[in-house]
């Protein structure tokens, strides 16, 4: 049976037979690179090939034999062949019985085939122990040793001893094996190297749309409007002034969008009176990309901070300030100091700095190594409590920035209000609903629902091990 | 015996019997979530319950049986029941003999019971292999897949094969098992999710006290004093000017407090003439939270940098500068350029920037993933050498900032010196003592003590594998 | 045989015999610290010593016996003795047969001996299962629990069961074992704690030379030249103005040097018509330290940003601006606004900010925990695409900064052009060559070469699993 054959494999590399032999089917680029690296790490290598003749490209010290001869030399066979050419293995099924077959293949597209290459291989050669490994490693990285992004080798397979032996090889090559469980995981492992930031797509496009919209909105108000009415060329504002309006707006809006789905979910649970009905798909998806939305928001906040700090070294600003001073000096007019303006100005700057500081803290906590070092309670504390505090500070920063002239009709241009007024809509909505939700009477109901209570439920339940999250 | 029964467990998931059956005792919130997740990952699930009837809440495809019927279906039983209800298991001891019992429970308070829930369970059912797992995972995270903070599952248990099987399940669910050793570790694992930054408490309160003290100190000097003597309203200074005094003071003081305990420890060892006597508890505790003190200091330094950089965009500053210019222009008085002032001003800014830069480097090195990638020697080099350099630069920054007016009596207000003068006391003390400690004669004695030499010792010792740390 | 004796070791800590006994040879500093820690974690400890008498320094509860007596008490022996004293073990070979010998020793220099201490030990006592472990942990860290840099214990050995038992002990002590494979890895594990940032040496010295060169270059142009011709004391410029020229130049040059080797490699491959010939050693080495070069460049960019942002709070700048304003005010001369200057000024600032922002992104992606979380395709996208975009933005920032006065002869001082003109040479060269390389006709050839095609090759090849990298 399965178990017996697995037991007959030597459990580990013995010091006596250190020169373990590994067979590689296929003499292509990756096969050769892997062979060379394994030779350097003390393995002896046999290549299996359709045309078994030595080529100058193959690493020195390796043998090249026919597939069947090579297979007999080792009980670990690494398959460095495209999936389309797996057919030849059906002729070798008897030879491969009980051996470890390592599938290292990748596809060209995500979900190219109905089943993963490794599962297909396991069906072709049912007697072999198929292990998926090495597909995330590049040939170049193997050769050069520059393995920054790819020291991790995902390994999966149904036979744990076979998996263990492959993981030993992985470690000997200086790589880090990550056991991903049974062969079912092969599909995900094969898709993994083909992905390009899948969780970032929606947040990225959303923020791009936000930026473009607000950029043109500001161009209309600040470049086209003065040109039409005053024939003034303000196009240079598109380099710094307008980006420095667009970035904070995008940051605040995206930050609010991080907390909006949680608020919607709570309202939905309150309305339904139960937590046991699924949220709509869009809400689920939205909740899963909150981290990405938040990090993009942090990026915009960072840009806003630097764009603000460079203000005093801009030519335009220096010119304006100097001209104002000269005009005043010529007119010999003193400019009285307004304490209320100083208060407003200083406090909106201070609120912004503190908000940015907390925002950076949130960002640091979302680094994988930091978030792994905190427990669930601490993570919730940071992401929920500190997160809301950040949202409050940033919203307050924008409100105080508006100050007195907030909704005065004089700032309307072509009936368009200032951009930051629009930016305040979502954050204020989120904060108001959140404020209502934490009123004691509503919070109590919500907590009960989250502990498993149902408004229309017949039987009471043991609320055990309840660990919920907003 | 133990070993035989463990051997009789199937070692791994075979491809033939992929549909492994797992039993879950308890149909509460977490039991259901876990059951659903395991069903999705290819397990077949049997719930054990007091009242075995199907409920609409249970995931489709799962069976519900009585406890004893369910236990017979599988050799892995996950216990999703409160510790207070564990008693019913005593009736099933025979059935559970040799089976794997997974304890997933949490408590409401740290150290709620004398022994951990898992150890209590092992006493109740001595024939079962108890494994602690899953307690750090939230039901919500399991359902939604949003496992940012909690992909890690701490696993411990006395039987390594039982532990291995549980770790295989953990991996199949897409989580990362972390083997924590034997069941003794269960207490710590159960306390873990209840903690809220325990190491940060002392540094946090200390820095809060520092901030409040210096805030009021500065308010007295800069708001109340001018109000009393000149009837001037300077309250707006509380928004930016005063925080920008408090933050650098807190940063410098906390940074010095990071290095003070090491200096005290060295003095203590010199005085005692041995390293083999324990330090007082307060010193031990202090040394263990140096990293947290340093990171909070970095936070304050960061705030100080931004509060300083916004100075030129403040209304108050612009108004002051403009008025000075106008006054001068009206008086037609040239203001001679002072090279020494330029030197003082530029060098204090430059020292501050370099100090902050090194401080940020120190902060980056203390990120878990970075500090894991350096060895002990490199870590000591960064945290000790670069750390002292940072302290020297930041102290010099403050000293040069004081410049000529450092201790002139004119800056005393109500006999209170400037706040930064007070801030210099601890850093200068640390630096002076450290300077004395690295004088060759004293350093030699200290090194010998740290290598195991004792002043009053009778016999010489092999100083082997000495790796000490200041 | 090997295997039988390994099998006879109990597989794991049984709950019945929890009080496992471990023997430690050597009563020095590290031996005692380890013994104390293990006692605290529930082990019972027997010390083996030449002079077996109890000392007050040994932890309470431990026994001290002669080597041979102690060895009989346990099947795990930790060797806390210098390599020079290993000889005494030859007398105990029979006793040690089949036992686990843990080598924890370190050397004083890298590659001090031809073979690693652990391999030497395995030769001395061939019947024992030698496991290398604990050498990266300091005695101080063990005692105090402050294990920031060194929670990781590298473990290697030829017998996997022996290794497993040592890893269990490591975990019980609260440390993280990292399986490094067979005993061959011992050499690297022993060298590891002696290294001091080996990959950083070349980038560090290179950037130091760059800084010193450009510092003196700027001192000549901006301090000595005006002193010679105008007798003007500009020495104060050395504190901020000149560093703020040197840092951006170093940053841009180093960033270009990150991408130069890739471009050279591509040209070399095109010239040779094959990817199968090794690159010269200097190129290989250069490619391996690109990450470090990039991070140092980021450090300089960070310094440049802060040095730029403090400009408006400098005394010199304020004095200059004020004097200009006063002069203008006195002359009653209006200064016309130049839109083109505003455009140039704003866009060079904006380009710099965006370049710095992308640079910071690149830096964050190179944090170990972040780069582990992305796949190869994503890593290449960030480091290659975003990296080139960063280089383009930073080069454009410098070009626009130069603006109109770029190569006007009036800026030559003693025939020396402005420093930033020199800084542009390497980045522009890299960008021009890269631009040529991505022209479709050349790119096609290069891609074919990288997929394994050879210009002078006789036989066509299966290009399988090709994953190349620039």
């Amino acid at each position: 049976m399965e178990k017996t054959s697995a037991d007959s494999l030597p459990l580990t590399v013995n010091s006596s037979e250190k020169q373990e032999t590994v067979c590689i089917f296929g003499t292509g680029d990756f096969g050769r690179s892997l062979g060379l690296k394994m030779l350097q790490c003390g393995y002896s290598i046999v290549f299996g090939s359709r045309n078994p003749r030595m080529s100058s490209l193959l690493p020195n010290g390796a043998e090249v034999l026919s597939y069947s001869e090579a297979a007999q030399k080792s009980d670990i066979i690494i398959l460095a062949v495209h999936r389309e050419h797996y057919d030849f293995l059906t002729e070798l099924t008897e030879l491969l019985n009980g051996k470890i077959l390592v599938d290292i293949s990748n596809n060209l597209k995500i979900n190219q085939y109905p089943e993963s290459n490794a599962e297909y291989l396991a069906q072709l050669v049912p007697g072999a122990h198929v292990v998926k490994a090495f597909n995330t490693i590049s040939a170049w990285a193997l050769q050069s040793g520059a393995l920054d992004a790819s020291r991790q080798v995902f390994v999966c397979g149904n036979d744990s001893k076979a998996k263990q032996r492959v993981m030993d090889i992985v470690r000997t090559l200086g790589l880090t094996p990550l056991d991903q469980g049974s062969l079912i995981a092969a599909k995900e492992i094969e898709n993994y190297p083909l992905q390009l930031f899948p969780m970032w797509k929606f947040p990225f496009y959303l923020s791009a749309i936000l930026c473009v919209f607000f950029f043109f909105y500001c161009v209309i108000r600040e470049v086209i409007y003065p040109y039409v009415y005053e024939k003034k060329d303000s196009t240079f504002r598109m380099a710094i002034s307008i980006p420095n309006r667009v970035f904070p707006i995008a940051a605040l809006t995206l930050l609010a969008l991080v907390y909006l789905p949680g608020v919607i979910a709570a309202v939905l649970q309150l309305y339904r009176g139960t937590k046991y009905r699924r949220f709509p798909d869009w809400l689920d998806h939205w909740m899963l990309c909150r981290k990405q939305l938040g990090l993009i928001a942090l990026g915009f906040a960072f840009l806003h901070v630097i764009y603000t700090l460079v203000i005093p070294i801009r030519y335009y600003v220096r010119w304006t300030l100097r001209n104002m001073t000269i005009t005043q000096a010529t007119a010999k007019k003193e400019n009285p100091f307004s304490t209320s303006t100083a208060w407003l100005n200083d406090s909106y700057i201070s609120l912004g700095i503190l908000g940015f500081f907390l925002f950076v803290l949130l960002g640091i906590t979302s680094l994988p190594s930091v978030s792994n070092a905190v427990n669930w309670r601490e993570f919730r504390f940071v992401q929920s409590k500190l997160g809301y505090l950040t949202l409050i500070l940033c919203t307050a920063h924008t409100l105080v920035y508006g100050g007195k002239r907030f909704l005065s009709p004089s700032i309307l241009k072509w009936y368009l209000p200032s951009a930051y007024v629009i930016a305040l809509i979502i954050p204020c909505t989120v904060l108001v609903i959140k404020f209502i939700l934490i009123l004691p009477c509503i919070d109590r109901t919500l907590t009960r629902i989250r502990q498993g209570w149902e408004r229309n439920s017949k039987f009471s339940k043991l609320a055990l091990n309840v660990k919920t999250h907003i």
Side-chain angles (χ1 to χ4, degrees), chain A residues 436-456:
Chain A
I436 295 170
L437 285 173
I438 56 170
L439 291 178
C441 53
I442 295 174
D443 186 49
R444 213 175 308 126
T445 316
L446 196 59
T447 306
R448 281 169 68 202
I449 288 174
R450 281 180 177 158
Q451 287 173 347
W453 175 83
E454 289 186 283
R455 201 184 289 138
N456 306 313

PDB file of all heavy atoms in Angstrom, chain A residues 436-456:
ATOM      1  N   ILE A 436     -23.422  56.967  15.633  1.00  0.00           N
ATOM      2  CA  ILE A 436     -24.742  56.420  15.988  1.00  0.00           C
ATOM      3  C   ILE A 436     -24.599  54.967  16.423  1.00  0.00           C
ATOM      4  O   ILE A 436     -25.219  54.519  17.390  1.00  0.00           O
ATOM      5  CB  ILE A 436     -25.708  56.544  14.785  1.00  0.00           C
ATOM      6  CG1 ILE A 436     -25.948  58.023  14.482  1.00  0.00           C
ATOM      7  CG2 ILE A 436     -27.013  55.814  15.044  1.00  0.00           C
ATOM      8  CD1 ILE A 436     -26.688  58.280  13.194  1.00  0.00           C
ATOM      9  N   LEU A 437     -23.737  54.228  15.722  1.00  0.00           N
ATOM     10  CA  LEU A 437     -23.604  52.795  16.012  1.00  0.00           C
ATOM     11  C   LEU A 437     -23.019  52.538  17.402  1.00  0.00           C
ATOM     12  O   LEU A 437     -23.257  51.485  17.978  1.00  0.00           O
ATOM     13  CB  LEU A 437     -22.711  52.118  14.960  1.00  0.00           C
ATOM     14  CG  LEU A 437     -23.358  51.882  13.594  1.00  0.00           C
ATOM     15  CD1 LEU A 437     -22.323  51.364  12.624  1.00  0.00           C
ATOM     16  CD2 LEU A 437     -24.509  50.903  13.696  1.00  0.00           C
ATOM     17  N   ILE A 438     -22.221  53.476  17.919  1.00  0.00           N
ATOM     18  CA  ILE A 438     -21.637  53.194  19.232  1.00  0.00           C
ATOM     19  C   ILE A 438     -22.462  53.802  20.372  1.00  0.00           C
ATOM     20  O   ILE A 438     -22.048  53.765  21.521  1.00  0.00           O
ATOM     21  CB  ILE A 438     -20.170  53.685  19.344  1.00  0.00           C
ATOM     22  CG1 ILE A 438     -20.059  55.174  19.028  1.00  0.00           C
ATOM     23  CG2 ILE A 438     -19.244  52.877  18.443  1.00  0.00           C
ATOM     24  CD1 ILE A 438     -18.689  55.741  19.359  1.00  0.00           C
ATOM     25  N   LEU A 439     -23.645  54.355  20.038  1.00  0.00           N
ATOM     26  CA  LEU A 439     -24.568  54.737  21.109  1.00  0.00           C
ATOM     27  C   LEU A 439     -24.920  53.473  21.879  1.00  0.00           C
ATOM     28  O   LEU A 439     -25.211  52.430  21.274  1.00  0.00           O
ATOM     29  CB  LEU A 439     -25.841  55.360  20.519  1.00  0.00           C
ATOM     30  CG  LEU A 439     -25.666  56.739  19.851  1.00  0.00           C
ATOM     31  CD1 LEU A 439     -26.997  57.193  19.264  1.00  0.00           C
ATOM     32  CD2 LEU A 439     -25.145  57.750  20.863  1.00  0.00           C
ATOM     33  N   PRO A 440     -24.941  53.530  23.215  1.00  0.00           N
ATOM     34  CA  PRO A 440     -25.083  52.312  24.018  1.00  0.00           C
ATOM     35  C   PRO A 440     -26.217  51.385  23.570  1.00  0.00           C
ATOM     36  O   PRO A 440     -26.015  50.180  23.416  1.00  0.00           O
ATOM     37  CB  PRO A 440     -25.336  52.857  25.423  1.00  0.00           C
ATOM     38  CG  PRO A 440     -24.640  54.178  25.435  1.00  0.00           C
ATOM     39  CD  PRO A 440     -24.746  54.716  24.047  1.00  0.00           C
ATOM     40  N   CYS A 441     -27.435  51.937  23.305  1.00  0.00           N
ATOM     41  CA  CYS A 441     -28.565  51.060  22.997  1.00  0.00           C
ATOM     42  C   CYS A 441     -28.315  50.281  21.713  1.00  0.00           C
ATOM     43  O   CYS A 441     -28.576  49.077  21.629  1.00  0.00           O
ATOM     44  CB  CYS A 441     -29.848  51.882  22.902  1.00  0.00           C
ATOM     45  SG  CYS A 441     -29.701  53.260  21.772  1.00  0.00           S
ATOM     46  N   ILE A 442     -27.779  50.946  20.694  1.00  0.00           N
ATOM     47  CA  ILE A 442     -27.541  50.273  19.407  1.00  0.00           C
ATOM     48  C   ILE A 442     -26.352  49.337  19.519  1.00  0.00           C
ATOM     49  O   ILE A 442     -26.379  48.204  19.011  1.00  0.00           O
ATOM     50  CB  ILE A 442     -27.325  51.321  18.292  1.00  0.00           C
ATOM     51  CG1 ILE A 442     -28.614  52.111  18.112  1.00  0.00           C
ATOM     52  CG2 ILE A 442     -26.902  50.664  16.998  1.00  0.00           C
ATOM     53  CD1 ILE A 442     -28.515  53.246  17.156  1.00  0.00           C
ATOM     54  N   ASP A 443     -25.306  49.771  20.229  1.00  0.00           N
ATOM     55  CA  ASP A 443     -24.114  48.951  20.374  1.00  0.00           C
ATOM     56  C   ASP A 443     -24.442  47.631  21.060  1.00  0.00           C
ATOM     57  O   ASP A 443     -23.913  46.585  20.710  1.00  0.00           O
ATOM     58  CB  ASP A 443     -23.064  49.725  21.176  1.00  0.00           C
ATOM     59  CG  ASP A 443     -21.750  48.986  21.252  1.00  0.00           C
ATOM     60  OD1 ASP A 443     -21.275  48.553  20.182  1.00  0.00           O
ATOM     61  OD2 ASP A 443     -21.218  48.827  22.355  1.00  0.00           O
ATOM     62  N   ARG A 444     -25.360  47.689  22.048  1.00  0.00           N
ATOM     63  CA  ARG A 444     -25.715  46.482  22.790  1.00  0.00           C
ATOM     64  C   ARG A 444     -26.346  45.447  21.856  1.00  0.00           C
ATOM     65  O   ARG A 444     -25.964  44.281  21.838  1.00  0.00           O
ATOM     66  CB  ARG A 444     -26.672  46.838  23.931  1.00  0.00           C
ATOM     67  CG  ARG A 444     -26.474  45.939  25.142  1.00  0.00           C
ATOM     68  CD  ARG A 444     -27.354  46.390  26.290  1.00  0.00           C
ATOM     69  NE  ARG A 444     -27.202  47.805  26.575  1.00  0.00           N
ATOM     70  CZ  ARG A 444     -28.197  48.699  26.624  1.00  0.00           C
ATOM     71  NH1 ARG A 444     -29.434  48.311  26.381  1.00  0.00           N
ATOM     72  NH2 ARG A 444     -27.949  49.959  26.893  1.00  0.00           N
ATOM     73  N   THR A 445     -27.300  45.911  21.052  1.00  0.00           N
ATOM     74  CA  THR A 445     -27.957  45.006  20.101  1.00  0.00           C
ATOM     75  C   THR A 445     -26.936  44.408  19.143  1.00  0.00           C
ATOM     76  O   THR A 445     -26.924  43.200  18.901  1.00  0.00           O
ATOM     77  CB  THR A 445     -29.025  45.776  19.284  1.00  0.00           C
ATOM     78  OG1 THR A 445     -29.763  46.596  20.169  1.00  0.00           O
ATOM     79  CG2 THR A 445     -29.932  44.819  18.556  1.00  0.00           C
ATOM     80  N   LEU A 446     -26.070  45.270  18.618  1.00  0.00           N
ATOM     81  CA  LEU A 446     -25.083  44.825  17.634  1.00  0.00           C
ATOM     82  C   LEU A 446     -24.151  43.772  18.240  1.00  0.00           C
ATOM     83  O   LEU A 446     -23.851  42.750  17.620  1.00  0.00           O
ATOM     84  CB  LEU A 446     -24.278  46.035  17.149  1.00  0.00           C
ATOM     85  CG  LEU A 446     -23.471  45.833  15.878  1.00  0.00           C
ATOM     86  CD1 LEU A 446     -24.389  45.432  14.740  1.00  0.00           C
ATOM     87  CD2 LEU A 446     -22.733  47.103  15.511  1.00  0.00           C
ATOM     88  N   THR A 447     -23.716  44.025  19.475  1.00  0.00           N
ATOM     89  CA  THR A 447     -22.823  43.071  20.132  1.00  0.00           C
ATOM     90  C   THR A 447     -23.514  41.721  20.291  1.00  0.00           C
ATOM     91  O   THR A 447     -22.922  40.669  20.048  1.00  0.00           O
ATOM     92  CB  THR A 447     -22.392  43.620  21.511  1.00  0.00           C
ATOM     93  OG1 THR A 447     -21.835  44.917  21.322  1.00  0.00           O
ATOM     94  CG2 THR A 447     -21.368  42.716  22.158  1.00  0.00           C
ATOM     95  N   ARG A 448     -24.800  41.766  20.679  1.00  0.00           N
ATOM     96  CA  ARG A 448     -25.530  40.507  20.839  1.00  0.00           C
ATOM     97  C   ARG A 448     -25.628  39.772  19.505  1.00  0.00           C
ATOM     98  O   ARG A 448     -25.446  38.558  19.429  1.00  0.00           O
ATOM     99  CB  ARG A 448     -26.918  40.764  21.403  1.00  0.00           C
ATOM    100  CG  ARG A 448     -26.885  41.012  22.923  1.00  0.00           C
ATOM    101  CD  ARG A 448     -28.219  41.525  23.426  1.00  0.00           C
ATOM    102  NE  ARG A 448     -29.265  40.502  23.342  1.00  0.00           N
ATOM    103  CZ  ARG A 448     -30.566  40.797  23.303  1.00  0.00           C
ATOM    104  NH1 ARG A 448     -30.974  42.055  23.331  1.00  0.00           N
ATOM    105  NH2 ARG A 448     -31.458  39.831  23.242  1.00  0.00           N
ATOM    106  N   ILE A 449     -25.932  40.517  18.454  1.00  0.00           N
ATOM    107  CA  ILE A 449     -26.027  39.877  17.132  1.00  0.00           C
ATOM    108  C   ILE A 449     -24.691  39.243  16.768  1.00  0.00           C
ATOM    109  O   ILE A 449     -24.630  38.115  16.280  1.00  0.00           O
ATOM    110  CB  ILE A 449     -26.436  40.925  16.067  1.00  0.00           C
ATOM    111  CG1 ILE A 449     -27.906  41.304  16.263  1.00  0.00           C
ATOM    112  CG2 ILE A 449     -26.200  40.392  14.660  1.00  0.00           C
ATOM    113  CD1 ILE A 449     -28.367  42.423  15.360  1.00  0.00           C
ATOM    114  N   ARG A 450     -23.607  39.941  17.063  1.00  0.00           N
ATOM    115  CA  ARG A 450     -22.296  39.421  16.698  1.00  0.00           C
ATOM    116  C   ARG A 450     -21.876  38.254  17.565  1.00  0.00           C
ATOM    117  O   ARG A 450     -20.947  37.530  17.229  1.00  0.00           O
ATOM    118  CB  ARG A 450     -21.260  40.544  16.780  1.00  0.00           C
ATOM    119  CG  ARG A 450     -21.375  41.405  15.547  1.00  0.00           C
ATOM    120  CD  ARG A 450     -20.420  42.518  15.531  1.00  0.00           C
ATOM    121  NE  ARG A 450     -20.577  43.240  14.277  1.00  0.00           N
ATOM    122  CZ  ARG A 450     -20.205  44.492  14.089  1.00  0.00           C
ATOM    123  NH1 ARG A 450     -19.648  45.152  15.072  1.00  0.00           N
ATOM    124  NH2 ARG A 450     -20.384  45.071  12.925  1.00  0.00           N
ATOM    125  N   GLN A 451     -22.532  38.095  18.710  1.00  0.00           N
ATOM    126  CA  GLN A 451     -22.233  36.929  19.547  1.00  0.00           C
ATOM    127  C   GLN A 451     -23.130  35.760  19.172  1.00  0.00           C
ATOM    128  O   GLN A 451     -23.094  34.718  19.814  1.00  0.00           O
ATOM    129  CB  GLN A 451     -22.404  37.289  21.019  1.00  0.00           C
ATOM    130  CG  GLN A 451     -21.263  38.178  21.519  1.00  0.00           C
ATOM    131  CD  GLN A 451     -21.517  38.665  22.911  1.00  0.00           C
ATOM    132  OE1 GLN A 451     -22.614  38.562  23.425  1.00  0.00           O
ATOM    133  NE2 GLN A 451     -20.476  39.201  23.533  1.00  0.00           N
ATOM    134  N   GLY A 452     -23.945  35.920  18.147  1.00  0.00           N
ATOM    135  CA  GLY A 452     -24.716  34.789  17.660  1.00  0.00           C
ATOM    136  C   GLY A 452     -26.212  34.914  17.900  1.00  0.00           C
ATOM    137  O   GLY A 452     -26.993  34.103  17.423  1.00  0.00           O
ATOM    138  N   TRP A 453     -26.643  35.951  18.626  1.00  0.00           N
ATOM    139  CA  TRP A 453     -28.064  36.140  18.896  1.00  0.00           C
ATOM    140  C   TRP A 453     -28.785  36.486  17.597  1.00  0.00           C
ATOM    141  O   TRP A 453     -28.238  37.151  16.728  1.00  0.00           O
ATOM    142  CB  TRP A 453     -28.210  37.275  19.916  1.00  0.00           C
ATOM    143  CG  TRP A 453     -29.612  37.673  20.216  1.00  0.00           C
ATOM    144  CD1 TRP A 453     -30.477  37.085  21.091  1.00  0.00           C
ATOM    145  CD2 TRP A 453     -30.312  38.774  19.644  1.00  0.00           C
ATOM    146  NE1 TRP A 453     -31.666  37.752  21.109  1.00  0.00           N
ATOM    147  CE2 TRP A 453     -31.601  38.800  20.221  1.00  0.00           C
ATOM    148  CE3 TRP A 453     -29.994  39.752  18.709  1.00  0.00           C
ATOM    149  CZ2 TRP A 453     -32.558  39.752  19.885  1.00  0.00           C
ATOM    150  CZ3 TRP A 453     -30.949  40.701  18.365  1.00  0.00           C
ATOM    151  CH2 TRP A 453     -32.219  40.697  18.961  1.00  0.00           C
ATOM    152  N   GLU A 454     -30.047  36.014  17.468  1.00  0.00           N
ATOM    153  CA  GLU A 454     -30.825  36.368  16.280  1.00  0.00           C
ATOM    154  C   GLU A 454     -32.172  36.924  16.699  1.00  0.00           C
ATOM    155  O   GLU A 454     -32.812  36.422  17.621  1.00  0.00           O
ATOM    156  CB  GLU A 454     -31.035  35.140  15.409  1.00  0.00           C
ATOM    157  CG  GLU A 454     -29.773  34.681  14.726  1.00  0.00           C
ATOM    158  CD  GLU A 454     -30.057  33.558  13.776  1.00  0.00           C
ATOM    159  OE1 GLU A 454     -30.236  32.426  14.257  1.00  0.00           O
ATOM    160  OE2 GLU A 454     -30.128  33.808  12.571  1.00  0.00           O
ATOM    161  N   ARG A 455     -32.610  37.969  16.015  1.00  0.00           N
ATOM    162  CA  ARG A 455     -33.869  38.606  16.416  1.00  0.00           C
ATOM    163  C   ARG A 455     -35.031  37.648  16.249  1.00  0.00           C
ATOM    164  O   ARG A 455     -35.923  37.578  17.084  1.00  0.00           O
ATOM    165  CB  ARG A 455     -34.078  39.878  15.580  1.00  0.00           C
ATOM    166  CG  ARG A 455     -35.037  40.847  16.251  1.00  0.00           C
ATOM    167  CD  ARG A 455     -35.303  42.033  15.354  1.00  0.00           C
ATOM    168  NE  ARG A 455     -34.155  42.898  15.236  1.00  0.00           N
ATOM    169  CZ  ARG A 455     -33.756  43.453  14.091  1.00  0.00           C
ATOM    170  NH1 ARG A 455     -34.422  43.227  12.983  1.00  0.00           N
ATOM    171  NH2 ARG A 455     -32.700  44.219  14.055  1.00  0.00           N
ATOM    172  N   ASN A 456     -35.022  36.845  15.187  1.00  0.00           N
ATOM    173  CA  ASN A 456     -36.153  35.962  14.898  1.00  0.00           C
ATOM    174  C   ASN A 456     -35.828  34.506  15.216  1.00  0.00           C
ATOM    175  O   ASN A 456     -36.383  33.598  14.623  1.00  0.00           O
ATOM    176  CB  ASN A 456     -36.544  36.085  13.428  1.00  0.00           C
ATOM    177  CG  ASN A 456     -36.798  37.525  13.066  1.00  0.00           C
ATOM    178  OD1 ASN A 456     -37.495  38.225  13.795  1.00  0.00           O
ATOM    179  ND2 ASN A 456     -36.199  37.964  11.970  1.00  0.00           N
TER     180      ASN A 456
END
